[in-house]
Amino acid sequence: MTDVQILVLAAGRSSRFGSQKLLHPLNPSNSVLGETLTQLAILDASVAVVCSPDNPGVIDLGKVFGCESLVFPKVSPGLGDSIAFGVSKTSPKQGWLVCLADMPWIKAATYAKIVARARGSAEQNSAIVAPQFHGQRGHPVFFGVDYRNLLERLTGDTGAKCILENHSAAVNFYELDDPGILRDVDVPSDIR
């Protein structure tokens, strides 16, 4: 059993992008998802990709990186549903680092710092660690195992925002010099 479980949420439809954005080339050597997984490879933690059955390319790419594939039974109706599914299928000792697959500009060091902050927290099981860039909250966010029940009940497309709002006193904001925590890929022009 791992202490920290990395959940990479990759079950979306990419409807605004017009095609499967996660497999779209980001640079000559990597796709959007490939770059995200490359940055996560630095971590000493289990990585699972929450994906949908209609995206075999995403499943295959996760396997190339040695990730477990958690295949959502159908197309995920929203980010909250993907989080709930991923949490329900894993059992880390300490908690989950919830990552968005379409945020390839997050630095490897940022992921490592958030996990180290969570591991070093006095209240590891009830820790929430959220990065900030110039005071603006970004991704990924770590949730301790005490939030399992709340995470498993999430639905819709707002992710775990309600948990962050309802447990704001528990959130350990971590100011980092990484604008990538705020930048995702929604439409093709986001890559250019």
Side-chain angles (χ1 to χ4, degrees):
M1 177 187 291
T2 185
D3 66 333
V4 173
Q5 175 68 58
I6 312 299
L7 291 179
V8 180
L9 306 181
R13 286 173 243 156
S14 302
S15 55
R16 286 188 284 172
F17 195 85
S19 62
Q20 180 44 262
K21 67 182 175 182
L22 300 179
L23 301 177
H24 191 82
L26 181 67
N27 54 50
S29 62
N30 229 340
S31 65
V32 171
L33 176 59
E35 188 61 28
T36 299
L37 295 177
T38 296
Q39 298 308 311
L40 284 166
I42 189 175
L43 299 176
D44 178 26
S46 173
V47 180
V49 178
V50 179
C51 47
S52 61
D54 63 343
N55 288 324
V58 169
I59 295 168
D60 292 343
L61 186 56
K63 289 178 183 173
V64 167
F65 281 86
C67 303
E68 179 182 2
S69 294
L70 301 176
V71 183
F72 203 84
K74 54 189 182 293
V75 174
S76 174
L79 203 53
D81 300 89
S82 291
I83 294 169
F85 180 74
V87 168
S88 74
K89 299 294 182 188
T90 57
S91 296
K93 289 184 214 170
Q94 188 181 342
W96 299 267
L97 183 66
V98 178
C99 308
L100 303 181
D102 65 353
M103 297 188 77
W105 296 285
I106 297 173
K107 298 173 187 173
T110 293
Y111 289 117
K113 287 175 183 176
I114 294 168
V115 169
R117 173 74 59 103
R119 285 177 171 153
S121 170
E123 297 85 26
Q124 290 180 344
N125 292 346
S126 59
I128 298 176
V129 180
Q132 292 185 138
F133 179 70
H134 296 293
Q136 188 174 353
R137 187 187 64 78
H139 294 278
V141 178
F142 174 86
F143 294 93
V145 292
D146 288 352
Y147 298 96
R148 174 184 280 282
N149 290 337
L150 294 174
L151 291 166
E152 287 180 334
R153 289 197 300 260
L154 292 173
T155 60
D157 207 30
T158 58
K161 188 176 182 179
C162 61
I163 296 173
L164 293 170
E165 291 170 352
N166 294 335
H167 298 273
S168 58
V171 180
N172 178 348
F173 289 106
Y174 194 4
E175 185 70 29
L176 295 168
D177 186 24
D178 185 355
I181 69 167
L182 305 176
R183 187 176 174 201
D184 66 350
V185 176
D186 286 325
V187 294
S189 61
D190 290 335
I191 292 177
R192 295 185 200 109

